[in-house]
Amino acid sequence: MVLTSALRDYVTRMLQDISGMKVLILDSQTVSIVSVVFSQSELLQKEVFLVELVDSTSKESMLHLKAVYFLRPTSENIQHLRRQIANPRFGEYHLFFSNIMKDTQIHVLADSDEQEVVQQVQEFYGDFCAIDPYHFTLNFPLNHIYMLPAVVDPSSLQNFCDRVVDGITAVFLALKRRPVIRYQRTSDISKRIAQEASKIMYERETGLFDFRRTEISPLLLIVDRRDDPVTPLLNQWTYQAMVHELIGIQDNKVDLRNIGKAPKDQQEVVLSSEQDAFFKSNMYENFGDLGMNIKRMVDDFQQIAKSNQNIQTIEDMAKFVDNYPEYRKKHGNVSKHVTMVTELSKIAEERKLMLVSQTEQDLACNGGQVAAFEAVMNLLSNDSVSDVDRLRLVMLYALRYEKESPVQLMQLCNKLASRSAKYKSGVK
């Protein structure tokens, strides 16, 4: 079972078993979890006519609607629910939680339901955002900070660990697997997460994880991002990675409002391998092959457009009307990908990313300190190279040659500071 299918199954089961008009109530995190696997039109097909956030201040009574809640079992959400159940706005309340609830939380909700409007309380383990069938995110902001315990207060670090463990346990509950857990021994944060996940899976909630054993047990491998500092500093050249790096993706949505040539109906577009066949087959293609595939897609669409222009009979007209929705869909898809690839090409040219990337690869893979120093110094002097690319180049040089050539590294740091004022305070 893949992650997107597991989440879609959960949402479908929540909605289709409850007949009649519904309102779907989410929190700030489950709204992302649902949006990546269900579109608004699909929700409408399930008779969901309104979507609200649980912290909404609306007090309008809508007793004709049945409320379907999908929330993380946090103390804040429980308090919102307690108040809303005590003064019900909807005819029925169906409560679904994305992870394991505490007994005390269930008791609080039961005590608040004096009017007996709650019809069911269930745990559906969808406490993760499935961005494609095999990858998920927890959308935790600035998560790299938590790998440096010295700069984070203990309570914040514990909240981070709890959220990571919640996400991991939900994934394996959704997949109906109990993994063997291995972690990087040299990393305190990896060890902490592994031990807490193990405690839930093998001690506290062992009954929930009592799944039929498979021939080969799945492996949960927890590693520290700091163990590979080079890869994040390298510019990427595959389609999905370039869009993420140069334009930005959040919950499979790409914001194109800052791109002047983007059509008005494509200010924000969805880039999902589940909904877009072209993206699915090209998300890991390099930029050169992507350009050829885009041209092929445009040529194919032009052939379809030409055939639609050749309408001579009533039968041709009827065929065109029948095929028009699919034609519009293809037109939007072609326009979306052409717009993004054009923007990626423009950014790569403006920032001289080909030159930058060549030097990055030389620093990461090849020898030659003198040549590397000259190449980095030349790029630091190039006005087209962005501040972030300059910083990356100096960091890559430092990782490779810090001990071998400290004097040259100091020269590069001083050059970087002279070119980018915002980095001055960090250079010693």
Side-chain angles (χ1 to χ4, degrees):
M1 180 185 287
V2 297
L3 297 174
T4 45
S5 298
L7 282 182
R8 280 189 63 85
D9 181 57
Y10 280 146
V11 178
T12 299
R13 285 164 56 192
M14 285 181 218
L15 300 177
Q16 72 180 10
D17 294 340
I18 303 168
S19 61
M21 297 190 296
K22 295 178 279 288
V23 52
L24 179 61
I25 299 179
L26 308 167
D27 61 37
S28 59
Q29 295 188 51
T30 57
V31 68
S32 296
I33 292 169
V34 172
S35 69
V36 296
V37 294
F38 251 77
S39 65
Q40 287 185 333
S41 59
E42 288 175 317
L43 289 176
L44 193 58
Q45 290 171 6
K46 301 293 184 184
E47 298 184 282
V48 175
F49 295 97
L50 179 65
V51 178
E52 281 190 1
L53 291 176
V54 70
D55 57 0
S56 169
T57 56
S58 175
K59 297 182 179 179
E60 181 182 357
S61 178
M62 291 178 273
L63 296 177
H64 60 291
L65 294 179
K66 298 176 181 178
V68 180
Y69 283 74
F70 181 47
L71 307 172
R72 295 198 67 244
T74 64
S75 57
E76 183 181 8
N77 285 339
I78 295 296
Q79 290 305 312
H80 285 307
L81 257 179
R82 182 183 64 79
R83 288 190 291 269
Q84 293 172 22
I85 292 171
N87 298 285
R89 297 167 51 210
F90 307 106
E92 295 180 2
Y93 284 71
H94 301 262
L95 311 182
F96 300 91
F97 292 91
S98 66
N99 217 312
I100 303 167
M101 295 185 69
K102 299 175 182 176
D103 290 342
T104 54
Q105 293 176 326
I106 298 174
H107 293 153
V108 167
L109 295 178
D111 292 342
S112 302
D113 187 25
E114 294 181 356
Q115 301 185 41
E116 298 184 353
V117 292
V118 176
Q119 305 299 306
Q120 58 178 316
V121 179
Q122 293 196 52
E123 295 172 348
F124 277 5
Y125 305 108
D127 206 7
F128 54 92
C129 188
I131 53 178
D132 66 39
Y134 308 108
H135 299 92
F136 71 93
T137 178
L138 302 179
N139 282 332
F140 212 102
L142 301 175
N143 57 355
H144 61 280
I145 292 176
Y146 298 94
M147 291 186 289
L148 304 170
V151 301
V152 181
D153 65 89
S155 62
S156 295
L157 183 61
Q158 186 60 50
N159 290 337
F160 170 76
C161 289
D162 290 345
R163 181 66 189 101
V164 173
V165 171
D166 286 347
I168 291 172
T169 54
V171 166
F172 283 99
L173 284 169
L175 298 176
K176 295 180 171 57
R177 296 287 187 271
R178 177 159 59 179
V180 174
I181 302 175
R182 298 288 183 266
Y183 63 91
Q184 184 176 322
R185 186 171 57 181
T186 57
S187 169
D188 291 338
I189 191 73
S190 297
K191 179 180 179 180
R192 184 170 180 171
I193 290 170
Q195 290 178 338
E196 293 187 16
S198 177
K199 189 177 296 183
I200 291 176
M201 296 180 188
Y202 287 90
E203 297 176 23
R204 202 163 69 224
E205 301 292 346
T206 183
L208 277 178
F209 285 89
D210 188 21
F211 302 117
R212 185 175 62 184
R213 293 189 177 183
T214 56
E215 187 175 338
I216 300 175
S217 296
L219 173 65
L220 170 60
L221 181 62
I222 302 174
V223 296
D224 196 315
R225 174 72 269 177
R226 291 173 296 177
D227 202 44
D228 172 21
V230 174
T231 302
L233 298 177
L234 302 175
N235 275 290
Q236 304 298 311
W237 290 95
T238 55
Y239 190 18
Q240 184 190 45
M242 288 186 73
V243 174
H244 186 272
E245 182 86 4
L246 303 180
I247 300 176
I249 304 176
Q250 180 67 35
D251 298 333
N252 286 346
K253 298 182 183 70
V254 182
D255 187 350
L256 299 176
R257 283 174 292 187
N258 293 326
I259 298 176
K261 295 183 179 179
K264 287 186 177 181
D265 61 342
Q266 292 190 347
Q267 297 295 296
E268 184 179 76
V269 298
V270 175
L271 206 58
S272 168
S273 60
E274 292 290 281
Q275 302 174 23
D276 187 333
F278 180 84
F279 181 65
K280 182 177 182 179
S281 60
N282 287 275
M283 59 195 295
Y284 301 126
E285 291 290 337
N286 67 61
F287 198 53
D289 293 338
L290 174 65
M292 291 188 290
N293 293 340
I294 284 279
K295 184 179 184 305
R296 193 176 299 117
M297 179 176 65
V298 171
D299 291 342
D300 292 343
F301 180 74
Q302 287 177 336
Q303 292 298 319
I304 297 173
K306 287 179 181 178
S307 66
N308 287 337
Q309 292 174 358
N310 189 25
I311 298 176
Q312 298 179 348
T313 65
I314 296 296
E315 288 77 10
D316 292 338
M317 192 178 299
K319 185 178 179 181
F320 171 76
V321 172
D322 289 342
N323 294 334
Y324 186 72
E326 184 65 22
Y327 173 80
R328 287 289 300 167
K329 182 179 178 181
K330 287 184 177 179
H331 177 272
N333 208 39
V334 170
S335 176
K336 172 179 72 176
H337 288 292
V338 168
T339 298
M340 281 196 289
V341 171
T342 301
E343 181 65 14
L344 292 176
S345 181
K346 175 185 172 186
I347 294 172
E349 175 59 31
E350 288 179 348
R351 289 171 50 178
K352 304 301 179 188
L353 291 183
M354 286 288 188
L355 284 173
V356 172
S357 188
Q358 181 180 347
T359 302
E360 288 174 348
Q361 293 299 322
D362 288 340
L363 286 167
C365 305
N366 301 326
Q369 178 269 325
V370 175
F373 174 77
E374 291 179 357
V376 174
M377 186 63 79
N378 288 337
L379 287 171
L380 291 180
S381 301
N382 191 323
D383 292 336
S384 298
V385 176
S386 69
D387 286 349
V388 68
D389 289 321
R390 291 190 182 110
L391 178 62
R392 284 172 165 174
L393 287 166
V394 175
M395 292 174 74
L396 283 168
Y397 184 91
L399 286 168
R400 186 70 185 273
Y401 299 112
E402 182 179 15
K403 293 182 179 179
E404 184 178 333
S405 58
V407 175
Q408 287 86 346
L409 175 58
M410 183 57 68
Q411 290 176 342
L412 292 176
C413 289
N414 291 335
K415 183 70 172 180
L416 174 66
S418 69
R419 299 290 300 182
S420 309
K422 60 185 175 183
Y423 297 136
K424 278 187 177 180
S425 59
V427 176
K428 301 293 183 184

